[in-house]
Amino acid sequence: MKRWLIAFLFLVLPAMAQGRDTLTIGITQYPSTFHPNIDSMAAKSYVLGFARRPVTAYDAEWRVTCLLCETLPTLENGLAVRERTPDGKDGIAVTWVLREGLRWGDGTPLTTEDLRFAWEAGRESTTGFGPAEFYRSAYEFTAHDARRFTIRFDKVTFEFASLGDFAPLPAHLERERWRADPRAYRSRTLYDTEPANPGLWNGPYRITAVQPGAGVTLERNEHWSGPPPHFRRIQVRTVENTASLEAQLLAGQVDMVAGELGLPVEQASALMRRTGSRFHVEYKPGLIYEHVDLRLDHPALSDRRVRQALLHALDRPQIVARLFEGRQTVAHSTVNPLDWVHEAATRQYAHDPARAVALLEEAGWRPGPNGIRVNASGERLSFELMTTAGNRSREAVQQVIQAQWRAVGVEARIRNEPPRVLFGESLSRRRFGGAAMYAWISAPEGVPRTSLHSEEIPSAERNWAGQNYTGFRNEEMNALLEALPQELDREKRRDMWRRLQAVYADELPALPLWFRQDAHLWPRWLEGVRPTGHLNSSTLWAEEWRAR
């Protein structure tokens, strides 16, 4: 009888999995906006991966691939043609052809007019779209017909086939709102005032309901022209406290935890030891750079010697060993060792409290009351240290950093905020009080112009576009960031990358911590999820997810 019962269960359980029509996912952040071109935030990218598609993306093998287009343009196939710009520069005209049958969720055909609108809005600086350099360089847009379009760029780059996150915006819904007042468009867009409007979405799913700060519900888009997705509904729940997120996973309130925004690796590892084979886990190292941004117009942090002292004071290998079971890779620059342009000989800052003290003394910071250093004017070496509230791993790291800085006479005052506030306000408008710990997620060989070029410092004049939150200004770095994309020779580009990493390591606009490994947790009955380990989320291929 017992043997029959076990056999019966093995027959029934797969059938039950096949009958699942809802997948509930837990993540630790809630998007500050649903507009594709406003604010950069991993939570938004993850959610919108279900509901929208850019023209191109990097896949799980780190190759550029078409999502909305038919063929990647190359010089060989004639879809990319080198030319001279009207002012005599070396330029390139690149043509893409959209796939047939693309529609918005309200049934309206998706055409080159939707891409023209995205280009027009991005070219207008008061709109505040990023990345600004893409729109500046893309000086002409031509729609040949409803599916074929050409963009002319005023420079030739090694990544000309990729449109990055450039994606169509529904001109039939958003163009008039934008035209009425480009500067105010950020607060008037339907993506935030009516996110459940089906006409905003062109992916396999569309957003049908939002609970601000708590969750997003997505359902199948009946006008999606690609392979039909398996699940009828996707529920994305935001649980900012990672202990609570784990509890909800164990209780069955969420089916899976997204690695892109989920449990830290050490928490996931402990969970797997307790639960055995109940869940599938995939540890994915990727281009995820955990670091501490420093506000360089802070009086103390403007001194490079102070920044170098702060890094010497940190014992990053010990933090990785004790808090992350050794699963993270200590970072010495902004470039991950997984990326071919990584330079192993870049300057490294060992844990050296004595050297940290010497640098602080050299910078004029002497021992003061209560062990906190002061300058000649009696001002304390003190600033805020912020991170995403509720992230147990980051908060633990924060405590260690605070203690290690205190040991050399630096006071870090902890003040955390929910991710949507930290990214949507404090960082994007440069309102943080000294230091902020978070992660950048990049594409393979992603040139970090938007976070390091002085033109990318957010300002009211540019409607807070740009991601150079530190306020870093360095002419050599600017020159490298401008020249790097235009160098087509890989070996010459490697030399430029080598110099970029050297400048970064000397100047330290941000303090490198480690390159993160993410823990993706999903139920045994789910298949088809392919973590990418880079900027383009696994959700961009959600139509491949299946219950088995």
Side-chain angles (χ1 to χ4, degrees), residues 42-355:
K44 182 182 74 172
S45 296
Y46 187 83
V47 172
L48 296 196
F50 292 109
R52 64 179 283 273
R53 291 290 182 270
V55 179
T56 66
Y58 285 92
D59 63 17
E61 284 72 44
W62 295 18
R63 298 172 305 200
V64 179
T65 186
C66 274
L67 293 187
L68 295 184
C69 55
E70 289 188 340
T71 307
L72 285 176
T74 67
L75 295 170
E76 291 73 23
N77 66 17
L79 292 176
V81 179
R82 299 186 70 157
E83 61 181 17
R84 305 294 287 180
T85 66
D87 56 359
K89 295 180 181 179
D90 287 329
I92 190 167
V94 190
T95 299
W96 290 266
V97 180
L98 297 175
R99 290 191 289 105
E100 284 193 77
L102 298 176
R103 292 183 178 275
W104 296 102
D106 60 2
T108 302
L110 189 159
T111 72
T112 50
E113 268 310 295
D114 301 304
L115 288 153
R116 184 199 298 278
F117 165 50
W119 174 80
E120 289 173 346
R123 289 276 291 177
E124 171 54 63
S125 62
T126 60
T127 310
F129 278 8
E133 177 59 15
F134 170 86
Y135 294 103
R136 190 207 62 75
S137 179
Y139 69 91
E140 181 180 295
F141 182 99
T142 302
H144 304 286
D145 53 40
R147 294 174 50 214
R148 186 182 182 90
F149 68 97
T150 297
I151 299 180
R152 283 188 157 86
F153 297 91
D154 67 358
K155 57 187 177 184
V156 182
T157 72
F158 68 86
E159 51 191 357
F160 66 79
S162 168
L163 278 173
D165 204 40
F166 182 65
L169 294 174
H172 67 294
L173 297 177
E174 291 278 87
R175 178 177 263 153
E176 290 310 312
R177 284 178 169 250
W178 171 75
R179 280 180 173 167
D181 189 346
R183 179 171 289 277
Y185 174 68
R186 291 173 69 101
S187 59
R188 298 176 65 249
T189 170
L190 288 175
Y191 283 102
D192 290 332
T193 60
E194 297 179 27
N197 188 317
L200 299 172
W201 311 112
N202 70 320
Y205 295 92
R206 61 183 182 87
I207 293 177
T208 56
V210 299
Q211 278 185 285
V216 180
T217 299
L218 305 101
E219 297 187 2
R220 285 185 190 133
N221 178 2
E222 62 182 11
H223 295 288
W224 165 248
S225 60
H230 172 87
F231 297 99
R232 180 173 64 87
R233 179 184 293 114
I234 301 286
Q235 293 181 325
V236 182
R237 292 183 181 172
T238 298
V239 186
E240 292 177 345
N241 183 286
T242 54
S244 298
L245 179 57
E246 178 182 325
Q248 291 198 23
L249 178 67
L250 291 172
Q253 295 171 300
V254 299
D255 298 312
M256 66 177 281
V257 173
E260 291 91 340
L261 294 145
L263 301 182
V265 290
E266 77 285 358
Q267 187 176 348
S269 179
L271 174 66
M272 294 303 292
R273 286 194 293 268
R274 296 197 310 272
T275 59
S277 60
R278 178 176 171 184
F279 302 103
H280 172 83
V281 63
E282 181 170 334
Y283 297 102
K284 180 74 174 182
L287 305 178
I288 308 161
Y289 172 51
E290 195 79 22
H291 64 285
V292 178
D293 262 7
L294 300 176
R295 182 165 174 164
L296 302 187
D297 47 12
H298 186 284
L301 301 175
S302 62
D303 192 320
R304 180 176 60 178
R305 294 168 297 185
V306 172
R307 303 196 295 272
Q308 293 176 346
L310 292 176
L311 192 52
H312 271 305
L314 297 182
D315 192 345
R316 293 169 294 161
Q318 182 189 60
I319 295 173
V320 166
R322 293 191 175 183
L323 297 184
F324 299 104
E325 301 182 350
R327 291 181 181 271
Q328 315 292 27
T329 301
V330 172
H332 302 293
S333 79
T334 184
V335 180
N336 195 305
L338 295 173
D339 211 329
W340 75 273
V341 295
H342 170 75
E343 175 51 57
T346 298
R347 176 179 180 177
Q348 300 186 10
Y349 290 78
H351 178 228
D352 190 344
R355 178 60 181 153

Side-chain angles (χ1 to χ4, degrees), residues 57 138 392 529:
R392 191 169 74 179
V529 182

Side-chain angles (χ1 to χ4, degrees), residues 475-493:
E475 288 306 315
E476 183 179 5
M477 180 64 80
N478 285 351
L480 284 165
L481 293 169
E482 290 165 7
L484 241 175
Q486 300 180 65
E487 181 52 69
L488 305 187
D489 185 284
R490 278 173 63 96
E491 287 309 308
K492 291 180 180 178
R493 213 157 66 235

